[in-house]
Amino acid sequence: MAKLIPVPDDLSKPFWDAINEKRLVVQNCTGCNTMQYPPRAACQHCGSDKFEWKETSGKGHILSFFVTYDGRYQRRIPDQPYNVAIVTLDEDPGINFYANLGGQPPRQVPVGAAVEVVFEEVAPGQLIHDWKVVS
Amino acid sequence: MTTEYTGWTRNKEGLGLWPHQGKVAIVGWGQSDVDRRWDGVSMDKTYGAYGMKAIQQALDDAGVKAEDVDGMFVCPETGAGATGGASADWGPSRPYFEPPYDSEWGLSRLNAKWIIDNMPGFTNVKFAPDNVPAIGEQMGMVSQAVAEGKCQTALLVYGMNNFEGRYRHGGDNASDFAPGPRQWSAPWSSGDGLQLTGAITIQQYCARYGVNWDELMAPVIINEHRNGLMHDWGFYSLHGASGLTYEDYANARPVLWPCRIWDCDRPTNGVGAFLFTTGDRAKDMKQKPVYVLNHNGGQGGSVRSSQETLDESEAGRAMVARMAYEGSGLRPEDVDIFNPYDGYSFFLPLTLEGFGWHGVGKGDSKDFFNGDISVEGPHPFTSGGGNLGVGRTRTAMYIDSIQQLRGTAGKRQVNIKAETAICAFAPARSAAYMCLSSVKP
Ligand SMILES: [Zn+2]
C-alpha cells in the first residue's frame, strides 16, 4: 500500500517523532486535563495553550467505516477498493482516528470490534499509525 | 470600483430577527444551459458566454436594463476548486484563444471586470467586491449589501465549470505528501473533505436508526431526478433523462461504498444569475418580489477530533436551523418550500431532521422519503430537484424557491401553500441558508 506521506510541522513534529518510536501520543491540556487529537495550538475545551504529550493505551474500537472504490488521491488508486474506518480511543471515545485496517477484506469491517494500534512505514524513516482488529 | 466587503456575515446565534426584512427582494433569475463539460470548440457555450446569457435572462426577467445595475457580485472561483486539475483550469495544458478568451477569465472563471468589459450597458456599476464567496454565502452578501445601501440593484453571478479531465484529481490530491490539516486524514483515507465526512456520518446514522442506505436514499434521489426534469435548463432536461430506478441506484457503481455514483452531484458547465433590489424598487418591477427574510453564514458547531461524528453532525444541523428560524422569525411549521443542499445525497436526511420540516425528527427521514414527497403531494421536499436532479449548478434550490413563491414553477408548482421558502447551498454544517417570503414582512 503506497499511502500518502505525512509532512510534520512545528506543532506536529513531537507527535510524528513519537510515532516513529512506535508510541501513539495525543495532546493533553494541563489546564483542564482534556485529551486532544489532531494537535491544535489551543485547547478546544478551555482555550489553554499548555499541553503535555500523553502516551495512549493504543487500544480502541471501530465506530464506522466506508470502502473507497473511486477515491481522489492518486497515490492510493492502485489500492482500491480499501476500507476506511473510524476508530475511537478507549480512554476517551471522543478522540478518533482514521484507519485502513490492513488485512480486513473490503466491506468486512466488524463495527464495534476492539482494535489496537500498529505502525507502518510509508517512507524511509516515516511511520504512521494504523489499527488492526484484535482477535 | 473594486471594493473589499467584510463584516456582513450573520454567523452565530443570538442575532435576533434580520433587521432589514422587507428592504431587499430578489426580482430576477437566469440560468444558462447546463452541459457536462465545455467541448473546447463551441464559443457560444463557453463559461463566459453562458454567464452573459444567464445575466441577460435575469435582467429580462426583472425588466431591468444593464444601466440600472449598480452592484455586481461575481464569485471568481473555478467550480472544481484547487484540486480540480485539468477539469478546473483551461491552462496550462491547453492553449488560450483570441480575446476575450485569452486567459482563464471567461473560460474557467468570471469576475465583474470581464463581464463589464464584454457585455454592453454596465456603465453604472459602483460596488463590485472581489472577495465574493460561493453561492450560499454570496446570497447573504448581496442581501446585506443592498440592505446597507452599498448598492440599489445588484447582480449575483455564480457558475460551475467543467472541462475534460478527472474532477478533483489534481492539485494536492495528486501529491504523494500530506502537509497541513491533510496529515491527519490523507494517509489513511480517500475522499477528501465532505465526501469522507458525510459518508461516514450517514453510515453511523444507518446503524443508529436501523436504516438501510438504499431504502433511505433511493426514493429521495429518484424524486429529485423527477423534479429536475421539470426545469427546461437542467442537465437531464437538455441531454437526456436518467430514467433512474431503485434497481439502477442499488446496483450503481460504488464511489465510497455504500455511497454510489448517484449520491454524488454530476459536475457540469453552466452559470446562473440573480437580480436583487430594494423593497421599494421591487414593487415596480415585472415580477412579484421575493423578499429576503434572513441570511446566515459560517458553520454550526465544531468537530472535536479527526472525524465529524453523527452527534456532531446532528448538533451542527440543529444549530444552523435555530439560526435560520431566529433570523427569519419563521417556525418549522411556517416553512412552505424547503430546498436544502444535496451535493451529496447524504446531506439531505440530516438537514431535514435538523430543520424539522413537516415534523420530521431524528431517524424519521427514511419513512418520510418513502411517503409522498412528489411536488403534487402534501410533502414536496426539494421541489427544485437540487444538484442531483439538474447537475452541479448549485442554483436549482434558489431558482425553484423563487418560482414557487411567484407561482411560476409550472409543472413543479406545488399544491400546498407557497409563501415562504428556505433554500441553500450549505454543505455539511454550513449555516448558509436563505429564508424568503412572497409576502412583504
Ligand atoms: Zn483545556
Side-chain angles (χ1 to χ4, degrees), chain B residues 32-33 38 42-56 100-101 106-107 110 114 118-119 269 271:
Chain B
S32 75
D33 289 356
W38 183 51
S42 307
M43 302 314 285
D44 58 337
K45 294 173 180 283
T46 63
Y47 197 60
Y50 274 180
M52 292 191 279
K53 182 176 175 181
I55 291 166
Q56 193 59 54
Y101 298 112
L107 290 175
L110 285 170
W114 192 92
N118 288 287
M119 232 182 137
N269 199 62
V271 182

PDB file of all heavy atoms in Angstrom, chain B residues 32-33 38 42-56 100-101 106-107 110 114 118-119 269 271:
ATOM      1  N   SER B  32     -28.086  29.568 -17.550  1.00  0.00           N
ATOM      2  CA  SER B  32     -27.664  29.072 -18.854  1.00  0.00           C
ATOM      3  C   SER B  32     -28.045  27.611 -19.003  1.00  0.00           C
ATOM      4  O   SER B  32     -28.446  26.949 -18.041  1.00  0.00           O
ATOM      5  CB  SER B  32     -26.148  29.188 -18.981  1.00  0.00           C
ATOM      6  OG  SER B  32     -25.512  28.174 -18.221  1.00  0.00           O
ATOM      7  N   ASP B  33     -27.843  27.085 -20.203  1.00  0.00           N
ATOM      8  CA  ASP B  33     -27.880  25.645 -20.384  1.00  0.00           C
ATOM      9  C   ASP B  33     -26.857  25.011 -19.438  1.00  0.00           C
ATOM     10  O   ASP B  33     -25.891  25.660 -19.030  1.00  0.00           O
ATOM     11  CB  ASP B  33     -27.491  25.274 -21.825  1.00  0.00           C
ATOM     12  CG  ASP B  33     -28.570  25.666 -22.830  1.00  0.00           C
ATOM     13  OD1 ASP B  33     -29.638  26.152 -22.405  1.00  0.00           O
ATOM     14  OD2 ASP B  33     -28.321  25.491 -24.042  1.00  0.00           O
ATOM     15  N   TRP B  38     -17.463  21.871 -21.113  1.00  0.00           N
ATOM     16  CA  TRP B  38     -17.262  22.666 -22.315  1.00  0.00           C
ATOM     17  C   TRP B  38     -16.396  21.852 -23.264  1.00  0.00           C
ATOM     18  O   TRP B  38     -15.398  21.249 -22.842  1.00  0.00           O
ATOM     19  CB  TRP B  38     -16.589  24.003 -21.998  1.00  0.00           C
ATOM     20  CG  TRP B  38     -16.467  24.838 -23.241  1.00  0.00           C
ATOM     21  CD1 TRP B  38     -17.461  25.145 -24.122  1.00  0.00           C
ATOM     22  CD2 TRP B  38     -15.286  25.444 -23.763  1.00  0.00           C
ATOM     23  NE1 TRP B  38     -16.977  25.915 -25.155  1.00  0.00           N
ATOM     24  CE2 TRP B  38     -15.635  26.111 -24.956  1.00  0.00           C
ATOM     25  CE3 TRP B  38     -13.952  25.490 -23.335  1.00  0.00           C
ATOM     26  CZ2 TRP B  38     -14.715  26.808 -25.729  1.00  0.00           C
ATOM     27  CZ3 TRP B  38     -13.032  26.190 -24.099  1.00  0.00           C
ATOM     28  CH2 TRP B  38     -13.420  26.847 -25.285  1.00  0.00           C
ATOM     29  N   SER B  42     -17.004  25.090 -29.020  1.00  0.00           N
ATOM     30  CA  SER B  42     -18.218  25.891 -29.216  1.00  0.00           C
ATOM     31  C   SER B  42     -18.113  27.185 -28.419  1.00  0.00           C
ATOM     32  O   SER B  42     -18.332  27.210 -27.209  1.00  0.00           O
ATOM     33  CB  SER B  42     -19.445  25.100 -28.745  1.00  0.00           C
ATOM     34  OG  SER B  42     -19.466  23.834 -29.357  1.00  0.00           O
ATOM     35  N   MET B  43     -17.800  28.285 -29.147  1.00  0.00           N
ATOM     36  CA  MET B  43     -17.563  29.538 -28.445  1.00  0.00           C
ATOM     37  C   MET B  43     -18.862  30.172 -27.939  1.00  0.00           C
ATOM     38  O   MET B  43     -18.819  31.123 -27.172  1.00  0.00           O
ATOM     39  CB  MET B  43     -16.785  30.517 -29.345  1.00  0.00           C
ATOM     40  CG  MET B  43     -15.441  29.981 -29.832  1.00  0.00           C
ATOM     41  SD  MET B  43     -14.392  29.190 -28.559  1.00  0.00           S
ATOM     42  CE  MET B  43     -13.782  30.616 -27.668  1.00  0.00           C
ATOM     43  N   ASP B  44     -20.019  29.649 -28.357  1.00  0.00           N
ATOM     44  CA  ASP B  44     -21.292  30.126 -27.806  1.00  0.00           C
ATOM     45  C   ASP B  44     -21.680  29.348 -26.545  1.00  0.00           C
ATOM     46  O   ASP B  44     -22.725  29.601 -25.957  1.00  0.00           O
ATOM     47  CB  ASP B  44     -22.409  30.002 -28.853  1.00  0.00           C
ATOM     48  CG  ASP B  44     -22.598  28.569 -29.343  1.00  0.00           C
ATOM     49  OD1 ASP B  44     -21.641  27.753 -29.237  1.00  0.00           O
ATOM     50  OD2 ASP B  44     -23.695  28.257 -29.822  1.00  0.00           O
ATOM     51  N   LYS B  45     -20.837  28.412 -26.140  1.00  0.00           N
ATOM     52  CA  LYS B  45     -21.135  27.609 -24.943  1.00  0.00           C
ATOM     53  C   LYS B  45     -20.033  27.707 -23.901  1.00  0.00           C
ATOM     54  O   LYS B  45     -19.949  26.879 -22.994  1.00  0.00           O
ATOM     55  CB  LYS B  45     -21.329  26.124 -25.333  1.00  0.00           C
ATOM     56  CG  LYS B  45     -22.535  25.849 -26.206  1.00  0.00           C
ATOM     57  CD  LYS B  45     -22.528  24.389 -26.661  1.00  0.00           C
ATOM     58  CE  LYS B  45     -23.709  24.045 -27.542  1.00  0.00           C
ATOM     59  NZ  LYS B  45     -24.953  23.865 -26.779  1.00  0.00           N
ATOM     60  N   THR B  46     -19.171  28.694 -24.036  1.00  0.00           N
ATOM     61  CA  THR B  46     -18.134  28.862 -23.017  1.00  0.00           C
ATOM     62  C   THR B  46     -18.769  29.297 -21.703  1.00  0.00           C
ATOM     63  O   THR B  46     -19.916  29.753 -21.650  1.00  0.00           O
ATOM     64  CB  THR B  46     -17.135  29.956 -23.424  1.00  0.00           C
ATOM     65  OG1 THR B  46     -17.853  31.187 -23.513  1.00  0.00           O
ATOM     66  CG2 THR B  46     -16.442  29.646 -24.736  1.00  0.00           C
ATOM     67  N   TYR B  47     -17.972  29.211 -20.679  1.00  0.00           N
ATOM     68  CA  TYR B  47     -18.397  29.683 -19.349  1.00  0.00           C
ATOM     69  C   TYR B  47     -18.791  31.164 -19.438  1.00  0.00           C
ATOM     70  O   TYR B  47     -19.823  31.574 -18.902  1.00  0.00           O
ATOM     71  CB  TYR B  47     -17.207  29.499 -18.417  1.00  0.00           C
ATOM     72  CG  TYR B  47     -17.493  29.542 -16.949  1.00  0.00           C
ATOM     73  CD1 TYR B  47     -18.359  28.637 -16.350  1.00  0.00           C
ATOM     74  CD2 TYR B  47     -16.831  30.459 -16.138  1.00  0.00           C
ATOM     75  CE1 TYR B  47     -18.569  28.653 -14.984  1.00  0.00           C
ATOM     76  CE2 TYR B  47     -17.031  30.475 -14.766  1.00  0.00           C
ATOM     77  CZ  TYR B  47     -17.902  29.581 -14.199  1.00  0.00           C
ATOM     78  OH  TYR B  47     -18.107  29.598 -12.852  1.00  0.00           O
ATOM     79  N   GLY B  48     -17.984  31.950 -20.127  1.00  0.00           N
ATOM     80  CA  GLY B  48     -18.270  33.376 -20.267  1.00  0.00           C
ATOM     81  C   GLY B  48     -19.542  33.634 -21.056  1.00  0.00           C
ATOM     82  O   GLY B  48     -20.370  34.480 -20.676  1.00  0.00           O
ATOM     83  N   ALA B  49     -19.712  32.901 -22.162  1.00  0.00           N
ATOM     84  CA  ALA B  49     -20.924  33.079 -22.973  1.00  0.00           C
ATOM     85  C   ALA B  49     -22.152  32.681 -22.157  1.00  0.00           C
ATOM     86  O   ALA B  49     -23.197  33.351 -22.212  1.00  0.00           O
ATOM     87  CB  ALA B  49     -20.826  32.235 -24.243  1.00  0.00           C
ATOM     88  N   TYR B  50     -22.008  31.612 -21.402  1.00  0.00           N
ATOM     89  CA  TYR B  50     -23.129  31.177 -20.562  1.00  0.00           C
ATOM     90  C   TYR B  50     -23.408  32.191 -19.446  1.00  0.00           C
ATOM     91  O   TYR B  50     -24.559  32.401 -19.057  1.00  0.00           O
ATOM     92  CB  TYR B  50     -22.843  29.794 -19.978  1.00  0.00           C
ATOM     93  CG  TYR B  50     -23.242  28.658 -20.901  1.00  0.00           C
ATOM     94  CD1 TYR B  50     -23.059  27.337 -20.519  1.00  0.00           C
ATOM     95  CD2 TYR B  50     -23.818  28.903 -22.138  1.00  0.00           C
ATOM     96  CE1 TYR B  50     -23.438  26.287 -21.339  1.00  0.00           C
ATOM     97  CE2 TYR B  50     -24.201  27.859 -22.972  1.00  0.00           C
ATOM     98  CZ  TYR B  50     -24.011  26.546 -22.563  1.00  0.00           C
ATOM     99  OH  TYR B  50     -24.397  25.515 -23.381  1.00  0.00           O
ATOM    100  N   GLY B  51     -22.345  32.801 -18.929  1.00  0.00           N
ATOM    101  CA  GLY B  51     -22.544  33.831 -17.912  1.00  0.00           C
ATOM    102  C   GLY B  51     -23.349  34.996 -18.474  1.00  0.00           C
ATOM    103  O   GLY B  51     -24.303  35.478 -17.846  1.00  0.00           O
ATOM    104  N   MET B  52     -22.984  35.437 -19.675  1.00  0.00           N
ATOM    105  CA  MET B  52     -23.697  36.571 -20.285  1.00  0.00           C
ATOM    106  C   MET B  52     -25.150  36.205 -20.590  1.00  0.00           C
ATOM    107  O   MET B  52     -26.060  37.032 -20.426  1.00  0.00           O
ATOM    108  CB  MET B  52     -22.943  37.020 -21.529  1.00  0.00           C
ATOM    109  CG  MET B  52     -21.590  37.644 -21.172  1.00  0.00           C
ATOM    110  SD  MET B  52     -20.782  38.489 -22.542  1.00  0.00           S
ATOM    111  CE  MET B  52     -20.033  37.112 -23.397  1.00  0.00           C
ATOM    112  N   LYS B  53     -25.363  34.965 -20.985  1.00  0.00           N
ATOM    113  CA  LYS B  53     -26.724  34.513 -21.272  1.00  0.00           C
ATOM    114  C   LYS B  53     -27.583  34.541 -19.991  1.00  0.00           C
ATOM    115  O   LYS B  53     -28.720  35.022 -20.000  1.00  0.00           O
ATOM    116  CB  LYS B  53     -26.661  33.085 -21.841  1.00  0.00           C
ATOM    117  CG  LYS B  53     -27.985  32.492 -22.244  1.00  0.00           C
ATOM    118  CD  LYS B  53     -27.768  31.112 -22.886  1.00  0.00           C
ATOM    119  CE  LYS B  53     -29.098  30.441 -23.192  1.00  0.00           C
ATOM    120  NZ  LYS B  53     -28.936  29.098 -23.788  1.00  0.00           N
ATOM    121  N   ALA B  54     -27.008  34.021 -18.911  1.00  0.00           N
ATOM    122  CA  ALA B  54     -27.748  33.992 -17.640  1.00  0.00           C
ATOM    123  C   ALA B  54     -28.036  35.407 -17.141  1.00  0.00           C
ATOM    124  O   ALA B  54     -29.135  35.698 -16.654  1.00  0.00           O
ATOM    125  CB  ALA B  54     -26.953  33.206 -16.594  1.00  0.00           C
ATOM    126  N   ILE B  55     -27.051  36.281 -17.274  1.00  0.00           N
ATOM    127  CA  ILE B  55     -27.236  37.662 -16.820  1.00  0.00           C
ATOM    128  C   ILE B  55     -28.356  38.333 -17.613  1.00  0.00           C
ATOM    129  O   ILE B  55     -29.235  39.002 -17.046  1.00  0.00           O
ATOM    130  CB  ILE B  55     -25.912  38.453 -16.969  1.00  0.00           C
ATOM    131  CG1 ILE B  55     -24.878  37.942 -15.954  1.00  0.00           C
ATOM    132  CG2 ILE B  55     -26.156  39.947 -16.801  1.00  0.00           C
ATOM    133  CD1 ILE B  55     -23.459  38.420 -16.234  1.00  0.00           C
ATOM    134  N   GLN B  56     -28.337  38.160 -18.939  1.00  0.00           N
ATOM    135  CA  GLN B  56     -29.376  38.786 -19.763  1.00  0.00           C
ATOM    136  C   GLN B  56     -30.754  38.260 -19.373  1.00  0.00           C
ATOM    137  O   GLN B  56     -31.724  39.031 -19.291  1.00  0.00           O
ATOM    138  CB  GLN B  56     -29.092  38.521 -21.251  1.00  0.00           C
ATOM    139  CG  GLN B  56     -29.931  39.401 -22.184  1.00  0.00           C
ATOM    140  CD  GLN B  56     -29.692  40.890 -21.940  1.00  0.00           C
ATOM    141  OE1 GLN B  56     -28.542  41.352 -21.960  1.00  0.00           O
ATOM    142  NE2 GLN B  56     -30.761  41.650 -21.695  1.00  0.00           N
ATOM    143  N   PRO B 100     -12.107  37.609 -26.140  1.00  0.00           N
ATOM    144  CA  PRO B 100     -11.827  37.738 -24.697  1.00  0.00           C
ATOM    145  C   PRO B 100     -11.485  36.427 -24.010  1.00  0.00           C
ATOM    146  O   PRO B 100     -11.548  36.365 -22.783  1.00  0.00           O
ATOM    147  CB  PRO B 100     -13.158  38.284 -24.173  1.00  0.00           C
ATOM    148  CG  PRO B 100     -14.183  37.621 -25.033  1.00  0.00           C
ATOM    149  CD  PRO B 100     -13.563  37.490 -26.397  1.00  0.00           C
ATOM    150  N   TYR B 101     -11.120  35.420 -24.786  1.00  0.00           N
ATOM    151  CA  TYR B 101     -10.822  34.113 -24.177  1.00  0.00           C
ATOM    152  C   TYR B 101      -9.321  33.829 -24.194  1.00  0.00           C
ATOM    153  O   TYR B 101      -8.887  32.726 -24.515  1.00  0.00           O
ATOM    154  CB  TYR B 101     -11.610  33.016 -24.895  1.00  0.00           C
ATOM    155  CG  TYR B 101     -13.104  33.212 -24.766  1.00  0.00           C
ATOM    156  CD1 TYR B 101     -13.892  33.545 -25.873  1.00  0.00           C
ATOM    157  CD2 TYR B 101     -13.735  33.088 -23.533  1.00  0.00           C
ATOM    158  CE1 TYR B 101     -15.264  33.740 -25.751  1.00  0.00           C
ATOM    159  CE2 TYR B 101     -15.105  33.279 -23.397  1.00  0.00           C
ATOM    160  CZ  TYR B 101     -15.862  33.602 -24.504  1.00  0.00           C
ATOM    161  OH  TYR B 101     -17.214  33.801 -24.371  1.00  0.00           O
ATOM    162  N   GLY B 106     -13.375  34.041 -18.306  1.00  0.00           N
ATOM    163  CA  GLY B 106     -14.280  33.756 -19.422  1.00  0.00           C
ATOM    164  C   GLY B 106     -14.274  32.291 -19.830  1.00  0.00           C
ATOM    165  O   GLY B 106     -15.168  31.840 -20.536  1.00  0.00           O
ATOM    166  N   LEU B 107     -13.235  31.547 -19.416  1.00  0.00           N
ATOM    167  CA  LEU B 107     -13.179  30.113 -19.725  1.00  0.00           C
ATOM    168  C   LEU B 107     -13.479  29.258 -18.488  1.00  0.00           C
ATOM    169  O   LEU B 107     -14.300  28.354 -18.543  1.00  0.00           O
ATOM    170  CB  LEU B 107     -11.802  29.745 -20.282  1.00  0.00           C
ATOM    171  CG  LEU B 107     -11.491  30.275 -21.685  1.00  0.00           C
ATOM    172  CD1 LEU B 107     -10.047  29.940 -22.065  1.00  0.00           C
ATOM    173  CD2 LEU B 107     -12.455  29.694 -22.722  1.00  0.00           C
ATOM    174  N   LEU B 110     -15.146  33.750 -13.773  1.00  0.00           N
ATOM    175  CA  LEU B 110     -15.768  35.024 -14.131  1.00  0.00           C
ATOM    176  C   LEU B 110     -15.500  36.027 -13.023  1.00  0.00           C
ATOM    177  O   LEU B 110     -15.385  35.669 -11.848  1.00  0.00           O
ATOM    178  CB  LEU B 110     -17.277  34.856 -14.299  1.00  0.00           C
ATOM    179  CG  LEU B 110     -17.729  34.165 -15.589  1.00  0.00           C
ATOM    180  CD1 LEU B 110     -19.216  33.850 -15.515  1.00  0.00           C
ATOM    181  CD2 LEU B 110     -17.435  35.039 -16.806  1.00  0.00           C
ATOM    182  N   TRP B 114     -14.485  41.246 -16.232  1.00  0.00           N
ATOM    183  CA  TRP B 114     -14.655  40.542 -17.512  1.00  0.00           C
ATOM    184  C   TRP B 114     -16.072  40.751 -18.044  1.00  0.00           C
ATOM    185  O   TRP B 114     -16.276  40.976 -19.240  1.00  0.00           O
ATOM    186  CB  TRP B 114     -14.340  39.052 -17.339  1.00  0.00           C
ATOM    187  CG  TRP B 114     -14.205  38.315 -18.652  1.00  0.00           C
ATOM    188  CD1 TRP B 114     -13.056  38.104 -19.358  1.00  0.00           C
ATOM    189  CD2 TRP B 114     -15.270  37.719 -19.421  1.00  0.00           C
ATOM    190  NE1 TRP B 114     -13.332  37.412 -20.518  1.00  0.00           N
ATOM    191  CE2 TRP B 114     -14.686  37.162 -20.585  1.00  0.00           C
ATOM    192  CE3 TRP B 114     -16.648  37.616 -19.246  1.00  0.00           C
ATOM    193  CZ2 TRP B 114     -15.427  36.501 -21.556  1.00  0.00           C
ATOM    194  CZ3 TRP B 114     -17.394  36.962 -20.225  1.00  0.00           C
ATOM    195  CH2 TRP B 114     -16.795  36.411 -21.357  1.00  0.00           C
ATOM    196  N   ASN B 118     -17.147  42.882 -21.469  1.00  0.00           N
ATOM    197  CA  ASN B 118     -17.633  42.082 -22.585  1.00  0.00           C
ATOM    198  C   ASN B 118     -19.136  42.114 -22.799  1.00  0.00           C
ATOM    199  O   ASN B 118     -19.648  41.520 -23.745  1.00  0.00           O
ATOM    200  CB  ASN B 118     -17.170  40.630 -22.421  1.00  0.00           C
ATOM    201  CG  ASN B 118     -15.684  40.491 -22.671  1.00  0.00           C
ATOM    202  OD1 ASN B 118     -15.224  40.571 -23.807  1.00  0.00           O
ATOM    203  ND2 ASN B 118     -14.919  40.347 -21.596  1.00  0.00           N
ATOM    204  N   MET B 119     -19.843  42.800 -21.921  1.00  0.00           N
ATOM    205  CA  MET B 119     -21.298  42.886 -22.053  1.00  0.00           C
ATOM    206  C   MET B 119     -21.664  44.360 -22.072  1.00  0.00           C
ATOM    207  O   MET B 119     -21.239  45.097 -21.188  1.00  0.00           O
ATOM    208  CB  MET B 119     -21.945  42.207 -20.847  1.00  0.00           C
ATOM    209  CG  MET B 119     -22.969  41.175 -21.215  1.00  0.00           C
ATOM    210  SD  MET B 119     -23.766  40.441 -19.799  1.00  0.00           S
ATOM    211  CE  MET B 119     -25.454  40.460 -20.423  1.00  0.00           C
ATOM    212  N   ASN B 269     -21.026  22.233 -16.607  1.00  0.00           N
ATOM    213  CA  ASN B 269     -20.575  23.555 -17.033  1.00  0.00           C
ATOM    214  C   ASN B 269     -21.811  24.422 -17.257  1.00  0.00           C
ATOM    215  O   ASN B 269     -22.620  24.124 -18.149  1.00  0.00           O
ATOM    216  CB  ASN B 269     -19.768  23.424 -18.338  1.00  0.00           C
ATOM    217  CG  ASN B 269     -18.886  24.627 -18.603  1.00  0.00           C
ATOM    218  OD1 ASN B 269     -17.992  24.924 -17.815  1.00  0.00           O
ATOM    219  ND2 ASN B 269     -19.126  25.314 -19.713  1.00  0.00           N
ATOM    220  N   VAL B 271     -23.834  28.531 -15.831  1.00  0.00           N
ATOM    221  CA  VAL B 271     -23.774  29.728 -14.993  1.00  0.00           C
ATOM    222  C   VAL B 271     -25.202  30.190 -14.674  1.00  0.00           C
ATOM    223  O   VAL B 271     -26.071  30.173 -15.548  1.00  0.00           O
ATOM    224  CB  VAL B 271     -23.006  30.872 -15.701  1.00  0.00           C
ATOM    225  CG1 VAL B 271     -22.906  32.096 -14.790  1.00  0.00           C
ATOM    226  CG2 VAL B 271     -21.613  30.412 -16.123  1.00  0.00           C
TER     227      VAL B 271
END
